[in-house]
Amino acid sequence: MPSSAESTAPLPPPPPPIDPPPVWFLAPEGFFALPLADSPDERAARAHSFVRDLYSRGDETVWEPAAPYYSAIAELMQNTGVSYAAMGLFSTSEEDRTPEGDIARHDLSGGAAQCAFTLAAIPTDQADADTDVVAQGILAALSADRYNEVDWLDLPCGPAVSCVTWRQLNLNPAVTASGEATELVTAQIQVHVPFPTGPFTAVFTLFTASVEQWSQFVDMMGAILQTVSFVDPTEDLALLESAEEA
């Protein structure tokens, strides 16, 4: 039995949480990054810039009340593991289509498609070389839900697993513009990419209620995933230039 001195001795502090290694990707035009920051002052400053970009045709009467709202959203996300969050706004006018037929951000008066996009790093128990094993485990876990559309992906940065989920929500008449009960269909694609540089998995999530443009959003997510890198792209470029000079 421990002595009284032993029983009252302070426990050793838990090890500090490990910050995830960096990850790089390119977000398309039309994404507006939410003002994530560690300090309230920095969040407030970023929120004021954010609303001016998001509501570019507005003025102070729009920007001033909107900024605290988005600053509060960023604060709520601060401790959830989300390292990047953005809102996407894109024109649905046929005149604003790119030559490839993609939705683009121009004048939104002809209609707009919206989405929410986030990146989070989730701790996973793995060694650096176990990305394939981790991805296989994620594939098995997500496939257990018959409502999930799950696929294996081979990305330039390594193995990944995508999961598409559709939901139908019944909205109360009190919260609809028409004052009548409304069915809202939403779609989400979530892609899990195990880090080859540490015990984490990157989770990219795109969520939208603009389901008429779902195929374009899927293509957009695919384009983003092709740019994901766990190595600083500038270092890759420097190595390539050195090899060419040699």
Side-chain angles (χ1 to χ4, degrees):
M1 178 179 294
S3 67
S4 58
E6 290 174 330
S7 62
T8 58
L11 295 173
I18 302 173
D19 290 332
V23 57
W24 289 264
F25 67 95
L26 295 178
E29 180 187 3
F31 272 32
F32 299 86
L34 285 166
L36 303 182
D38 292 331
S39 71
D41 289 344
E42 190 175 359
R43 278 195 299 272
R46 292 186 182 184
H48 279 85
S49 298
F50 171 80
V51 295
R52 282 163 173 76
D53 288 338
L54 184 65
Y55 305 113
S56 58
R57 296 191 175 189
D59 54 29
E60 293 296 335
T61 61
V62 174
W63 299 330
E64 284 302 316
Y69 169 76
Y70 289 108
S71 180
I73 290 178
E75 184 177 3
L76 290 173
M77 289 185 172
Q78 201 63 40
N79 297 317
T80 62
V82 171
S83 59
Y84 177 85
M87 291 181 61
L89 288 176
F90 306 93
S91 171
T92 57
S93 171
E94 290 298 326
E95 296 179 358
D96 286 336
R97 296 279 178 174
T98 67
E100 295 77 21
D102 298 328
I103 49 181
R105 176 183 174 260
H106 294 295
D107 184 359
L108 303 179
S109 60
Q114 302 181 44
C115 71
F117 179 80
T118 61
L119 166 62
I122 308 300
T124 44
D125 185 14
Q126 74 203 58
D128 293 354
D130 288 345
T131 54
D132 195 80
V133 174
V134 173
Q136 291 285 359
I138 293 170
L139 179 72
L142 294 176
S143 298
D145 187 335
R146 63 189 181 91
Y147 293 107
N148 291 340
E149 300 173 22
V150 184
D151 288 296
W152 179 274
L153 302 177
D154 288 309
L155 302 178
C157 64
V161 178
S162 74
C163 179
V164 173
T165 309
W166 291 77
R167 294 285 185 267
Q168 180 174 301
L169 308 175
N170 296 316
L171 300 182
N172 190 292
V175 299
T176 64
S178 64
E180 299 178 356
T182 304
E183 292 181 350
L184 176 68
V185 177
T186 65
Q188 173 183 285
I189 179 169
Q190 193 169 74
V191 180
H192 302 250
V193 188
F195 278 69
T197 52
F200 290 88
T201 292
V203 182
F204 295 85
T205 304
L206 189 152
F207 173 88
T208 185
S210 302
V211 293
E212 296 83 0
Q213 286 76 37
W214 178 241
S215 62
Q216 287 92 350
F217 279 125
V218 171
D219 291 343
M220 185 182 298
M221 175 66 102
I224 292 171
L225 294 171
Q226 291 298 311
T227 70
V228 174
S229 176
F230 296 100
V231 178
D232 188 342
T234 59
E235 294 180 5
D236 280 349
L237 181 60
L239 289 173
L240 179 60
E241 291 175 346
S242 298
E244 290 176 347
E245 290 174 359

